[in-house]
Amino acid sequence: MSEQQANKIIITSARRKMARAQCQLTEGKGRVFVNGVPIELIPIEMIRLKIMEPLLLAGESLASKIDARIYTFGGGIMGQADAARMALARALVKFSGSKELEELYKQYDRTMLAGDPRETESEKWMRYSARRWRQKAYR
């Protein structure tokens, strides 16, 4: 039984707009990789902090015990960051099995665990965009 627990792997996924993310969480030394790149090397600080939020809220005791590999695709960079953040938060809750951590995430920001269902409206036939119609002249 101890061998099975030592190789504990948790896989979660999340979506935000057109972006998709998958997180593989294993026991380790506190390393986080996004698309094969260490999170410390991501150049945009806002994205780096957004992905790190679940780890910062969980605390150093849990964050130093895990290794996370996050793979994102589709959508834009902020959508991918939101999807990666949600996948990581879900994986941490599953890994720890802690109801307190789940409640903490829900109180801080509900979208860390429950996704935002909004998507872009599709473009309609004979229109310039989803809702814009041709201009009409009355005179």
Side-chain angles (χ1 to χ4, degrees):
M1 188 71 178
S2 62
E3 286 181 30
Q4 190 179 21
Q5 248 178 351
N7 297 329
K8 190 175 178 183
I9 298 173
I10 291 172
I11 299 171
T12 56
S13 62
R15 302 180 325 201
R16 172 74 172 110
K17 294 185 175 180
M18 292 300 290
R20 307 289 183 254
Q22 188 179 40
C23 179
Q24 297 174 357
L25 202 73
T26 56
E27 292 180 10
K29 301 175 184 174
R31 295 173 295 196
V32 179
F33 295 92
V34 180
N35 293 333
V37 177
I39 196 151
E40 294 83 21
L41 299 181
I42 293 177
I44 304 168
E45 186 180 7
M46 190 172 175
I47 290 172
R48 187 170 56 240
L49 291 174
K50 188 172 271 290
I51 297 171
M52 291 288 282
E53 261 182 347
L55 290 171
L56 297 173
L57 287 171
E60 190 61 36
S61 59
L62 180 62
S64 61
K65 291 180 188 174
I66 56 107
D67 281 351
R69 295 187 184 283
I70 304 170
Y71 301 98
T72 61
F73 57 94
I77 54 170
M78 285 311 288
Q80 286 186 358
D82 280 336
R85 172 185 129 168
M86 194 189 316
L88 182 58
R90 287 177 178 177
L92 285 170
V93 167
K94 214 172 185 183
F95 181 83
S96 67
S98 166
K99 288 286 180 192
E100 295 86 33
L101 185 63
E102 189 175 348
E103 288 302 316
L104 175 70
Y105 286 159
K106 281 183 183 176
Q107 287 175 0
Y108 178 75
D109 186 4
R110 190 171 179 278
T111 59
M112 285 179 110
L113 298 175
D116 188 352
R118 295 178 294 177
E119 300 251 345
T120 55
E121 191 174 340
S122 59
E123 188 175 324
K124 311 300 185 297
W125 177 69
M126 284 187 63
R127 293 192 182 185
Y128 296 117
S129 64
R131 298 189 176 201
R132 184 174 167 226
W133 192 246
R134 275 190 242 98
Q135 197 167 355
K136 187 175 180 182
Y138 287 98
R139 294 189 174 104

